[in-house]
């Protein structure tokens, strides 16, 4: 008799295991925007701020870096929530709710921040190419080569956002490996690293360290990054009519952003700790003697005096090469190049969203990249041709000040609109977030204004003082206008004297709307 045997295999999956798989599947689906956003925390301007923090204050300001990153995470959370709940990014919401003149001024201020950031990326890339080529690629040529970024971006953009997100992940990995190598090679004291990170105290610190602490906050929290993150979260398909789905998207985006900023924080710590361990308290004489002994071609950068060593991105690579060998210099340059290349692409995305949102104007990405890159390259190229690397890296201070001044034009609007029940419905900021967010933004803006005042007072020019005073009046007037509208959104209705401030109800959308200005 023929017998048919049927074998049934049952694979049992426990409920916990099934839930865990589903959790990671959803987290992976939402992974991408946070890592693109985190690139702004790793641009060449940030790296320079990190190394100067380590060289000037040792490990003592690591807690400032940690605090600034946490504040940045909370602000990015607001940006992501706005995009997820409304289906509009911050520039689109500003277009819908601000009158024409304030909207145009706001757009110009954000564009200035994007151009300033782009200039830092051009500077970083040019310096990295100069170091990698042992000076064979002059700085002006390195500046021109960065035009290639335009075509690289356009080439990658053709293959879809997920491919671009993967490429950004690759560049972040390069930075982690490059600066991680420097960290292992220098081997900083781990106890001092942890102490500096979790003990909010700076013994023996003076004005120099205070200015550096302010600089750390200004370098970490970038104004255009708020606009960028609110737009990037729109790349995932979410049913905004379903409250549960919106809540779930907010949760996963916050988790992903936390992971991304944790990675960026570790990379920043690597840089601070390396320069804190190896170069804090060193003099120009010590470095000059070491570079002469190793036969470095850059020993003339360091005068033979006993003044405290001053470093920037360029000098940082040179001193690493003098003390830890040529490999340390080249790996440092690779990390800086990866930082410059990745951050220039996020800047391009920011510019695209900002222009489309504020002006309801759609340019091709080619035209947009070409315009901002040309504006960034022209002044940088002039300095690179007619001056030296000292002046090129010195531009970073001015650019940090420029971006610090633009911070209120991102932070005040994001708090305003995420607090509006008419716009955010059940996801509007509660009382704790309104008060806490307001205090955080007040502190961040005050810190950065201090940074601006310190920079301006060091100029020692009466003409510049007068010009700065006039500019400050106009600047503070506009900031006061934004604060006024923000307070009304927060519930201080008595400030709306004539009932002129009206916020339309939310409009859920995935496409750019036609606005009635």
């Amino acid at each position: 008799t023929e017998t048919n045997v049927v074998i049934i295999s049952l694979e049992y999956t426990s409920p916990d295991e099934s839930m865990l798989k589903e959790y990671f599947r959803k987290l992976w689906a939402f992974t991408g925007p946070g890592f693109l956003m985190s690139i702004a925390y790793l641009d060449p301007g940030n790296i320079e701020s990190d190394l100067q923090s380590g060289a000037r204050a040792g490990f003592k300001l690591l807690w400032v870096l940690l605090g600034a990153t946490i504040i940045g995470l909370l602000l990015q959370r607001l940006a992501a929530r706005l995009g997820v709940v409304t289906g509009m990014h911050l520039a689109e919401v500003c277009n819908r709710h601000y009158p024409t003149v304030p909207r145009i001024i706001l757009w110009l201020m954000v564009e200035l921040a994007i151009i300033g950031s782009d200039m830092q990326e051009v500077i970083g890339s040019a310096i990295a190419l100069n170091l990698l080529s042992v000076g064979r690629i002059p700085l002006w040529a390195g500046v021109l080569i960065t035009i290639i970024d335009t075509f690289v971006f356009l080439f990658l953009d053709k293959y879809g956002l997920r491919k671009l997100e993967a490429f950004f992940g690759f560049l972040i990995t390069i930075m982690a490996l490059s600066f991680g190598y420097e960290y292992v090679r220098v081997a900083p004291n781990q106890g001092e690293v942890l102490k500096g990170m979790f003990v909010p105290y700076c013994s023996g610190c003076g004005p120099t360290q205070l200015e550096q602490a302010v600089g750390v906050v200004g370098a970490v929290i970038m104004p255009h990054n708020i606009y960028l993150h609110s737009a990037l979260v729109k790349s995932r398909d979410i049913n905004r009519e379903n409250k549960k789905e919106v809540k779930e998207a907010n949760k996963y985006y916050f988790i992903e952003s936390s992971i991304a900023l944790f990675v960026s924080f570790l990379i920043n710590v690597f840089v601070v700790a390396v320069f804190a361990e190896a170069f804090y308290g060193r003099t120009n004489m010590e470095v000059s003697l070491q570079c002469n002994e190793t036969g470095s071609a850059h020993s003339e950068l360091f005068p033979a005096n006993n003044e405290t060593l001053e470093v920037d991105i360029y000098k940082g690579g040179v001193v690493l090469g003098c003390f830890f060998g040529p490999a340390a210099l080249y790996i440092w340059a690779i990390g800086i190049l990866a930082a410059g290349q990745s951050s220039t692409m996020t800047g391009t995305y920011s510019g695209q969203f900002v222009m489309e949102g504020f002006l309801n104007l759609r340019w091709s990405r080619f035209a947009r990249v070409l315009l901002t890159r040309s504006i960034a390259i022209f002044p940088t190229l002039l300095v690179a041709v007619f001056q030296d690397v000292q002046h090129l890296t010195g531009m970073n201070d001015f650019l940090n000040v420029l971006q610090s001044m633009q911070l209120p034009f991102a932070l005040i609007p994001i708090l305003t609109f995420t607090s509006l029940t008419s716009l955010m419905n059940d996801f509007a900021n509660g009382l704790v977030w309104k008060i806490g967010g307001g205090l955080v933004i007040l502190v961040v803006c005050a810190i950065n204004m201090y940074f601006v005042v310190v920079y301006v007072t060091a100029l020692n020019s009466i003409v510049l003082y007068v010009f700065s005073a006039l500019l400050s009046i106009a600047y503070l007037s506009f900031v006061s206008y934004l604060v006024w509208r923000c307070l009304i959104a927060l519930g201080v209705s008595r400030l709306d004297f004539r009932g002129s401030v009206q916020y339309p109800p939310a409009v859920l959308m995935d496409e750019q709307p036609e606005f009635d200005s």
Side-chain angles (χ1 to χ4, degrees):
T1 304
E2 183 177 337
T3 303
N4 294 324
V5 179
V6 179
I7 300 175
I8 301 176
S9 175
L10 297 176
E11 181 180 350
Y12 173 74
T13 302
S14 69
D16 289 344
E17 184 180 347
S18 177
M19 289 175 62
L20 193 62
K21 285 182 179 179
E22 179 67 10
Y23 171 83
F24 282 111
R25 185 191 67 79
K26 288 184 177 180
L27 181 59
W28 175 250
F30 286 101
T31 296
F35 281 91
L36 266 69
M37 168 273 297
S38 71
I39 290 293
Y41 291 72
L42 295 168
D43 70 355
N46 266 299
I47 301 301
E48 179 155 317
S49 175
D50 291 337
L51 65 89
Q52 289 177 347
S53 172
R56 294 176 180 176
F59 301 98
K60 299 173 184 176
L61 296 181
L62 279 173
W63 63 273
V64 177
L65 176 62
L66 176 61
T69 305
I70 293 173
I71 291 173
L73 174 63
L74 297 177
L75 295 172
Q76 299 298 159
R77 177 182 182 270
L78 294 180
R81 284 172 68 87
L82 181 71
V84 169
V85 173
T86 67
M88 295 184 289
H89 56 73
L90 181 56
E92 291 173 328
V93 177
C94 289
N95 187 327
R96 182 175 174 79
H97 290 85
Y98 285 130
T100 302
V101 173
R103 185 171 68 241
I104 297 299
I105 296 174
L106 202 57
W107 169 65
L108 291 173
M109 295 299 100
V110 179
E111 288 288 355
L112 275 177
I114 293 171
I115 292 169
S117 176
D118 206 34
M119 289 180 68
Q120 287 183 315
E121 291 140 16
V122 170
I123 291 170
S125 296
I127 289 174
L129 291 169
N130 182 269
L131 289 173
L132 286 170
S133 65
V134 199
R136 292 187 180 88
I137 298 178
L139 292 171
W140 62 266
V143 170
L144 289 176
I145 289 173
T146 57
I147 295 175
I148 297 173
D149 292 343
T150 304
F151 304 102
V152 171
F153 175 81
L154 293 172
F155 174 77
L156 290 171
D157 193 52
K158 288 171 56 178
Y159 291 92
L161 184 60
R162 289 297 273 180
K163 299 288 194 304
L164 192 63
E165 289 170 351
F167 180 69
F168 276 102
F170 171 70
L171 291 176
I172 291 174
T173 302
I174 290 178
M175 283 185 272
L177 293 175
S178 299
F179 299 129
Y181 167 84
E182 308 288 358
Y183 186 84
V184 173
R185 181 70 179 83
V186 174
N189 186 311
Q190 301 303 304
E192 290 296 319
V193 171
L194 293 175
K195 179 182 176 183
M197 197 180 300
F198 296 110
V199 178
Y201 183 68
C202 189
S203 60
C205 291
T208 300
Q209 288 74 23
L210 178 60
E211 291 173 22
Q212 191 57 50
V214 171
V216 168
V217 178
V220 167
I221 303 173
M222 310 286 280
H224 63 279
N225 210 31
I226 304 295
Y227 288 87
L228 174 67
H229 199 193
S230 66
L232 289 173
V233 296
K234 291 175 59 180
S235 62
R236 298 326 192 245
D237 187 21
I238 300 167
N239 179 11
R240 293 181 174 84
E241 301 290 347
N242 187 327
K243 181 179 177 181
K244 181 180 178 182
E245 197 168 323
V246 172
K247 186 176 181 179
E248 186 177 66
N250 282 326
K251 179 183 77 171
Y252 283 109
Y253 275 132
F254 180 67
I255 294 170
E256 184 240 3
S257 298
S258 301
I259 296 171
L261 289 187
F262 176 71
V263 172
S264 71
F265 172 71
L266 286 182
I267 294 174
N268 284 318
V269 168
F270 288 162
V271 178
V272 174
V274 163
F275 283 84
E277 179 70 26
F279 306 114
Y280 174 56
R282 287 191 182 273
T283 64
N284 287 322
M285 179 70 76
E286 291 178 82
V287 177
S288 178
L289 291 174
Q290 181 65 28
C291 288
N292 282 324
E293 286 180 12
T294 56
S296 171
H298 306 284
S299 56
E300 73 282 353
L301 288 172
F302 310 101
N305 58 42
N306 287 320
E307 293 183 10
T308 303
L309 175 68
E310 294 283 340
V311 287
D312 47 42
I313 291 177
Y314 186 79
K315 285 183 177 180
V318 171
V319 295
L320 284 171
C322 291
F323 281 82
F324 302 103
L329 186 153
Y330 294 128
I331 292 173
W332 168 261
I334 290 171
I336 296 297
L337 186 61
Q341 297 304 296
S342 57
S343 53
T344 193
M345 294 181 192
T346 57
T348 299
Y349 258 127
S350 300
Q352 185 76 14
F353 295 134
V354 164
M355 179 170 284
E356 289 178 359
F358 276 110
L359 306 181
N360 200 13
L361 178 65
R362 293 184 179 276
W363 281 19
S364 69
R365 284 205 171 93
F366 179 85
R368 171 70 209 178
V369 176
L370 198 60
L371 174 64
T372 55
R373 183 44 51 97
S374 299
I375 295 173
I377 280 179
F378 183 69
T380 313
L381 185 61
L382 288 178
V383 175
V385 170
F386 297 106
Q387 298 292 342
D388 54 16
V389 70
Q390 304 296 325
H391 293 84
L392 190 61
T393 54
M395 287 178 67
N396 265 316
D397 289 336
F398 169 75
L399 295 174
N400 282 333
V401 168
L402 178 66
Q403 292 180 82
S404 294
M405 292 183 67
Q406 312 314 316
L407 264 176
F409 308 127
L411 303 189
I412 296 174
I414 196 64
L415 180 63
T416 299
F417 298 126
T418 54
S419 299
L420 283 176
T421 306
S422 62
L423 187 68
M424 301 290 289
N425 299 315
D426 294 339
F427 296 94
N429 293 331
L431 183 62
V432 173
W433 269 97
K434 287 178 180 179
I435 296 175
L439 290 175
V440 165
I441 290 172
L442 179 64
V443 169
V444 170
C445 291
I447 287 174
N448 282 278
M449 287 306 100
Y450 173 82
F451 184 48
V452 172
V453 169
V454 168
Y455 180 83
V456 170
T457 52
L459 296 176
N460 294 322
S461 170
I462 295 178
V463 175
L464 290 176
Y465 289 160
V466 173
F467 176 75
S468 299
L470 295 175
L471 191 64
S472 297
I473 294 172
Y475 174 84
L476 292 174
S477 298
F478 185 57
V479 171
S480 299
Y481 169 80
L482 295 178
V483 170
W484 171 62
R485 291 186 67 106
C486 181
L487 289 173
I488 293 172
L490 291 175
V492 189
S493 56
R494 69 184 65 179
L495 293 177
D496 188 10
F497 306 111
R498 299 180 181 178
S500 57
V501 179
Q502 296 181 1
Y503 292 108
V507 177
L508 301 180
M509 52 185 56
D510 295 310
E511 298 293 334
Q512 171 79 7
E514 292 294 330
F515 294 128
D516 181 6
S517 299

